[in-house]
Every structure is written in structure tokens, then in C-alpha cells.
């Protein structure tokens, strides 16, 4: 029996959210959210909870079924990962946005912090992982200094199958592989995309690439628990079945209608009320390097899902909350000054860890200098916990809204849980804001403008529109 099949173990791994410091009873009436204001929303909350269920039933929230409907795919993923492990030294993800941020976040959370620098043996025989989530020519060029493409597998990931960044990365790699390997290049490429739509699936079929599919109803930023994230994770030795088990547990926890018993719903409700009160910035501050890129992943999820011009009735609403990424304790020495004394426009979410996977003792020394020697005999674990508690206290004292999400320990189960809970929180916040949390017209606009600028056929009108934009004045360029 796997550990995640045991109820007791699962419960011991439950993520908690402490929202004391969001509440007026604790943080004061001026900034805090009162229980009465949550209760006044009760009809709206019930409607939103019902809409979550209705949409799920109607197949409009397919990310929620991912923990359950991928058994055969998981087998294929593990099998493919094993073949890659046997044959390749490096695995490179070509993708951007929702096709890159999840793989980066999960790898950072669950593998060694210097994974790529370890010897193959110390990596358990698994290949190194690189995620090319940009089109910076210097970075792309630098990649070829650290990989041998003959010993590298490339995973092209794009839901739409047409994103310029990803397709450019793909064209570069394909050309290099063909030059080196001729017709035998195909088994160096795996395509993860929509099963029917887009150019990548056409190309993959034509070239004979191995393919994995992103379910039609799962958008980029909600796709980490599809082959988008599962393949890179499996290739690097992460237990993807445990990841999905964590998500299934989170589904159980976030399927309760009562907001006081549903962490994801409560979190969304508090953020919604905070937004209404002008808190337009959502800071995520993990106190663990392992969770550093969770804040990046969350930033896309929160920004693209909730930053909307129109509500569902087509009324202009201009809603959303700007996500900011910070890292505890590093950013205590950079941003916390602003958080405690700047404008009252933020909600800070601390991501904490109950127990770190390692313990590091601070050596004793300089007994004659008490201001230094007091550190000796403690551990870095105690220090980082104390710093998190101290920052939380500083924010409380300055009456700044903050909440703490704690993972008992970082493992595949808690990471699956966290990803899923934050996705449900986002979807529920979308319901409360009465917007479509699953589209991204603002991103599409930028993508289309890029196509037009680079001369993609069919985008001539967009090119004309761009050409008629106001000309830049020399006087404003100094
Ligand atoms: O969430 C989204 O849909 C987007 O941010 C996409 O992830 C991003 O634009 C990349 O798109 P694609 O996977 O189609 O290449």
C-alpha cells in the first residue's frame, strides 16, 4: 500500500491556511475583514459554490477531474520517462507561460536544489532538466554549451500549438537535430499539445513524434497536472501518482460548500473582499527556496485568470489583483519595508513549511560577543521559522492583511494538493468576480500582434492596425 493510500498519512499531510491576520478581530476594523462581511455575502457564496458544481458537471471545469481521469496516461508517461532515462542525459522543455511555469515550480519543489549540477548517479540516473521559457537568443545559445543534443530529448509543449516563442524554439531544435541525425531525429522530440487543434499536432503526426495531449477543456495555466507537468516531473524521478493523489485529496477538501470548511473558497472570499477594499496587490512570499517558483506559477494563474476587462454580462469591470513574487527571508531585506509602511494595497500570502527536509545546525562561536554567539546552538530551521513569524508579526503590527498557508512538509503529495487548492481558489474568485477565469484575451492580443509584426499570413489587417499606432516622438526618447 502506498503511503498516500492511507487516510491517516493523508490527514497528516493536510495543508492548512491561517487567516487570523485577515480578520478585523485580529488586525483591527480599519483594514481587517469582519466575519459579518463574510456572512453578508452568504447568498453570493452559495451561488458561486453551486456554479462551481454546475460548471464541473457541464464539463466547463475540466482541471478538476485531472486527479481521476488519467490512469492510462500516467502509465504511458512513466513508461516514456523510463525510456528517456535510459537513453538521454538531458531533457529540455520548450514552452512558455502555462506550458513552462508548472514544470519549473514542481522540479524546484521536489528535486535537489542543484539537481542539474549533481552527477548522473546522484540524480538517480535521471536526465538533467532545462526549461526554455523565453526566446532570449543569448540564453538559447547558452543552452547548447551545456547539452549535447544527440543525448537530449526535447518536449515541445504548447496547448494552442501555435505560440511564436515555442514554435521558434522548436524550429531551431528541429533543424539542429535534423542536421546532426538526419531522418533518425524524430525520437528526440515529444510533443504535448491539443489532440486535434493547432499546428503542432499536424507537425507531430507528419513527423511521427511521440505525443501527449492536453485535455481540450484545460487551459495552459491550469494544465500542470496534465502531461504538461507530469512528463517533465516523471522524467526527473518525481512520483507523479503521489502528485495526483495530493490533488485528489485537495479536491475532497475543496468540494465542501461551506466556506468556513473549505480553504480554497475561504481564501478566494477573503481576497475578493480585500479587492473590494482596494487591496489590488497579492504578494506570495514562500519561506522555502523549494517553493520559490510556486510564486511564479501562482502569479500567472492569478493574473491571467482574474485580470479582466469585462464581466460575464459584458459590462466593463476592470478587475484583478496584481501578483507579486517575493521570497522569505531574502525579500525581508528588499520588499518588506514597503509591505509594512507603504500603501495599504496588499494582501501577503506566506507559504510556510512545517518541517524542512534537512536540518542545519548553526555552529557555536565567539562566546565573548553575545550578539553573535546567541545564534550558535540554534538551527537554520529555527532561524527561518523565527524570521517568518517575525515578518508576520511586523505586518500584523502595521495592520497589513496577511495569511499563512503551511505545507506540513514539501513532498509530491503536498505539492499536488497546493497546486490544486490554488487553482480552485482562483476559479472560485472568478465566480465571485463574475468573470471568465479561463480565457485570456489580453494575452491573445499580444500573441496576434507578434504574428502580425513577423508577417504571419492572415494577420495583414492586424499589421495595418499596428502600423497606424501613434508614431514615437523623438523628444520623448532621451
Ligand atoms: O494560460 C494560458 O493559456 C497562457 O498563458 C498559455 O499558457 C501561454 O500563452 C502559452 O500558450 P500555449 O501553451 O498555447 O503555447
Amino acid at each position: 500500500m502506498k503511503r498516500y493510500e492511507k487516510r491517516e498519512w493523508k490527514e497528516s499531510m493536510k495543508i492548512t491556511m491561517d487567516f487570523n491576520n485577515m480578520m478585523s478581530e485580529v488586525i483591527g476594523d480599519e483594514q481587517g475583514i469582519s466575519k459579518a462581511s463574510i456572512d453578508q455575502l452568504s447568498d453570493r457564496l452559495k451561488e458561486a459554490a453551486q456554479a462551481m458544481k454546475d460548471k464541473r458537471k457541464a464539463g466547463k471545469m475540466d482541471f478538476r477531474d485531472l486527479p481521476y481521469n488519467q490512469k492510462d496516461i500516467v502509465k504511458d508517461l512513466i513508461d516514456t520517462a523510463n525510456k528517456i532515462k535510459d537513453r538521454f542525459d538531458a531533457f529540455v522543455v520548450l514552452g512558455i507561460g502555462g506550458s513552462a511555469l508548472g514544470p519549473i515550480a514542481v522540479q524546484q519543489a521536489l528535486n535537489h536544489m542543484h539537481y542539474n549540477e549533481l552527477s548522473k548517479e546522484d540524480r538517480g540516473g535521471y536526465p538533467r532538466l532545462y526549461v526554455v521559457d523565453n526566446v532570449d537568443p543569448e540564453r538559447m545559445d547558452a543552452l547548447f554549451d551545456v547539452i549535447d543534443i544527440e543525448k537530449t530529448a526535447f518536449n515541445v509543449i504548447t496547448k494552442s500549438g501555435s505560440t511564436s516563442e515555442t514554435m521558434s524554439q522548436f524550429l531551431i531544435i528541429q533543424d539542429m537535430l535534423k542536421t546532426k541525425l538526419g531522418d533518425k531525429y524524430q525520437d528526440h522530440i515529444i510533443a504535448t499539445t491539443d489532440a486535434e487543434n493547432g499546428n503542432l499536432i499536424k507537425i507531430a503526426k507528419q513527423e511521427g513524434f511521440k505525443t501527449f495531449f492536453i485535455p481540450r477543456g484545460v487551459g495552459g495555466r491550469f494544465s500542470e497536472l496534465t502531461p504538461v507537468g507530469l512528463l517533465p516531473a516523471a522524467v526527473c524521478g518525481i512520483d507523479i501518482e503521489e502528485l495526483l493523489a495530493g490533488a485528489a485529496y485537495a479536491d475532497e477538501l475543496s468540494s465542501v460548500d461551506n466556506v468556513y470548511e473549505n480553504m480554497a473558497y475561504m481564501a478566494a472570499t477573503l481576497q475578493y473582499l480585500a479587492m473590494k477594499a482596494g487591496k489590488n496587490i497579492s504578494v506570495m512570499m514562500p519561506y522555502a527556496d523549494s517553493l520559490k517558483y510556486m510564486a511564479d506559477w501562482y502569479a500567472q494563474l492569478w493574473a491571467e485568470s482574474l485580470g479582466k476587462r469585462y464581466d460575464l454580462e459584458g459590462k466593463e469591470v476592470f478587475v484583478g489583483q496584481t501578483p507579486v513574487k517575493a521570497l522569505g527571508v531574502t525579500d525581508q531585506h528588499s520588499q518588506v519595508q514597503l509591505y509594512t509602511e507603504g500603501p495599504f494595497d496588499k494582501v501577503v500570502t506566506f507559504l510556510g513549511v512545517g518541517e524542512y527536509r534537512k536540518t542545519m545546525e548553526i555552529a557555536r562561536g565567539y562566546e565573548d560577543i553575545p550578539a553573535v554567539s546567541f545564534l550558535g546552538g540554534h538551527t537554520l530551521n529555527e532561524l527561518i521559522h523565527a524570521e517568518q513569524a517575525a515578518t508576520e508579526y511586523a505586518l500584523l503590527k502595521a495592520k497589513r492583511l496577511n495569511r499563512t498557508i503551511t505545507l506540513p512538509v514539501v513532498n509530491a503529495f503536498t505539492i499536488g494538493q497546493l497546486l490544486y487548492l490554488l487553482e480552485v481558489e482562483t476559479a472560485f474568485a472568478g465566480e465571485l468576480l463574475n468573470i471568465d477565469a479561463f480565457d485570456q484575451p489580453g494575452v491573445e492580443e499580444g500573441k496576434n500582434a507578434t504574428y502580425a509584426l513577423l508577417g504571419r499570413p492572415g494577420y495583414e489587417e492586424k499589421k495595418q492596425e499596428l502600423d497606424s499606432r501613434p508614431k514615437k516622438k523623438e523628444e520623448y526618447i532621451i
Side-chain angles (χ1 to χ4, degrees):
M1 199 183 209
K2 303 261 175 66
R3 59 182 182 175
Y4 54 81
E5 287 165 345
K6 294 180 196 137
R7 189 81 210 162
E8 207 180 312
W9 185 82
K10 285 205 281 197
E11 281 167 9
S12 74
M13 287 296 135
K14 183 182 175 296
I15 292 178
T16 56
M17 177 176 74
D18 174 353
F19 60 97
N20 270 280
N21 295 345
M22 298 290 289
M23 305 303 290
S24 53
E25 284 153 270
V26 180
I27 208 135
D29 290 336
E30 217 177 301
Q31 301 298 327
I33 293 166
S34 67
K35 233 176 149 217
S37 62
I38 299 175
D39 296 340
Q40 271 157 23
L41 265 188
S42 81
D43 288 346
R44 188 78 206 83
L45 295 173
K46 276 185 203 141
E47 271 167 35
Q50 191 55 45
M52 292 286 286
K53 284 196 277 203
D54 294 345
K55 287 189 180 163
R56 185 173 187 172
K57 258 195 214 138
K60 289 183 185 155
M61 245 184 233
D62 287 357
F63 78 90
R64 299 213 57 177
D65 299 325
L66 295 172
Y68 314 107
N69 61 10
Q70 301 190 92
K71 288 220 161 55
D72 290 342
I73 299 166
V74 165
K75 263 194 223 138
D76 191 5
L77 286 164
I78 294 174
D79 186 47
T80 306
N82 285 334
K83 285 184 188 144
I84 291 169
K85 181 184 174 193
D86 290 346
R87 214 181 129 194
F88 297 106
D89 284 347
F91 186 77
V92 176
V93 170
L94 309 175
I96 200 156
S99 298
L101 292 163
I104 297 170
V106 168
Q107 171 74 355
Q108 173 80 5
L110 298 176
N111 263 328
H112 192 285
M113 303 258 178
H114 298 287
Y115 175 86
N116 279 353
E117 291 151 58
L118 295 176
S119 68
K120 190 164 185 180
E121 199 189 359
D122 287 341
R123 291 196 310 270
Y126 293 101
R128 285 173 290 140
L129 176 75
Y130 298 93
V131 182
V132 186
D133 58 340
N134 205 351
V135 284
D136 180 329
E138 293 176 16
R139 176 163 167 204
M140 190 79 189
D141 184 75
L143 177 69
F144 302 119
D145 292 334
V146 293
I147 60 166
D148 172 354
I149 66 162
E150 291 186 55
K151 291 186 191 151
T152 302
F154 296 88
N155 186 193
V156 200
I157 310 180
T158 164
K159 170 81 199 284
S160 61
S162 62
T163 303
S164 303
E165 294 86 343
T166 309
M167 295 315 279
S168 306
Q169 295 163 359
F170 163 69
L171 287 169
I172 293 168
I173 296 297
Q174 187 193 37
D175 182 59
M176 289 178 101
L177 285 171
K178 270 185 174 171
T179 308
K180 280 248 176 191
L181 305 167
D183 285 346
K184 281 186 268 153
Y185 88 97
Q186 288 90 343
D187 49 5
H188 283 248
I189 297 187
I190 296 164
T192 305
T193 187
D194 189 275
E196 286 163 28
N197 294 331
N199 302 315
L200 184 60
I201 187 62
K202 265 187 237 145
I203 296 171
K205 281 183 184 159
Q206 189 181 309
E207 302 287 334
F209 300 150
K210 166 88 185 151
T211 47
F212 284 101
F213 301 124
I214 309 170
R216 175 70 44 84
V218 180
R221 56 193 175 275
F222 289 86
S223 70
E224 173 52 20
L225 296 169
T226 73
V228 167
L230 297 178
L231 182 61
V235 164
C236 295
I238 290 167
D239 185 342
I240 58 173
E241 289 173 301
E242 185 168 302
L243 206 58
L244 290 170
Y249 184 52
D251 182 40
E252 214 182 284
L253 300 174
S254 56
S255 293
V256 183
D257 285 354
N258 182 352
V259 287
Y260 286 98
E261 290 165 21
N262 184 327
M263 178 186 137
Y265 284 9
M266 178 54 90
T269 305
L270 294 168
Q271 289 285 28
Y272 171 74
L273 288 167
M275 280 184 240
K276 294 249 160 234
K279 316 286 186 242
N280 293 322
I281 298 173
S282 170
V283 178
M284 181 169 275
M285 190 167 187
Y287 267 77
D289 277 66
S290 60
L291 301 176
K292 180 176 176 179
Y293 296 115
M294 278 293 155
D296 278 46
W297 172 83
Y298 162 81
Q300 186 213 15
L301 181 72
W302 198 247
E304 278 192 4
S305 303
L306 304 184
K308 296 290 151 73
R309 177 174 177 174
Y310 298 107
D311 71 8
L312 292 175
E313 276 73 53
K315 201 174 113 215
E316 267 188 345
V317 284
F318 297 111
V319 292
Q321 209 184 25
T322 305
V324 169
K325 310 170 269 187
L327 179 66
V329 306
T330 310
D331 284 306
Q332 283 178 213
H333 303 273
S334 155
Q335 299 188 41
V336 167
Q337 170 62 33
L338 172 73
Y339 301 168
T340 49
E341 294 196 356
F344 287 86
D345 56 0
K346 299 171 197 68
V347 175
V348 176
T349 300
F350 296 112
L351 280 188
V353 170
E355 267 181 54
Y356 292 84
R357 290 163 290 186
K358 302 279 173 194
T359 302
M360 180 72 64
E361 285 183 12
I362 305 172
R364 291 188 187 279
Y366 299 99
E367 300 299 335
D368 54 329
I369 313 177
V372 174
S373 67
F374 80 98
L375 293 166
H378 288 291
T379 59
L380 287 185
N381 309 52
E382 286 176 90
L383 180 60
I384 195 166
H385 273 141
E387 299 224 27
Q388 184 184 333
T391 305
E392 186 191 321
Y393 172 69
L395 291 186
L396 167 69
K397 199 171 164 193
K399 301 187 181 359
R400 309 300 165 133
L401 296 189
N402 66 90
R403 61 173 175 154
T404 299
I405 294 175
T406 305
L407 283 67
V409 62
V410 176
N411 60 33
F413 188 82
T414 53
I415 290 299
Q417 213 185 130
L418 180 66
L419 292 165
Y420 195 93
L421 286 170
L422 290 171
E423 287 176 358
V424 177
E425 174 181 334
T426 306
F428 196 71
E431 287 304 326
L432 293 177
L433 290 166
N434 191 35
I435 47 111
D436 184 347
F438 303 103
D439 67 358
Q440 56 282 325
V443 180
E444 304 306 339
E445 181 60 38
K447 283 189 179 183
N448 292 340
T450 306
Y451 298 148
L453 286 170
L454 286 190
R456 178 172 163 179
Y459 288 79
E460 295 74 14
E461 234 177 84
K462 183 57 75 186
K463 176 77 171 58
Q464 274 175 10
E465 182 191 310
L466 273 155
D467 288 344
S468 64
R469 68 191 186 274
K471 294 275 166 290
K472 298 235 170 159
K473 290 188 176 178
E474 283 302 322
E475 64 180 296
Y476 297 145
I477 303 174
I478 52 176

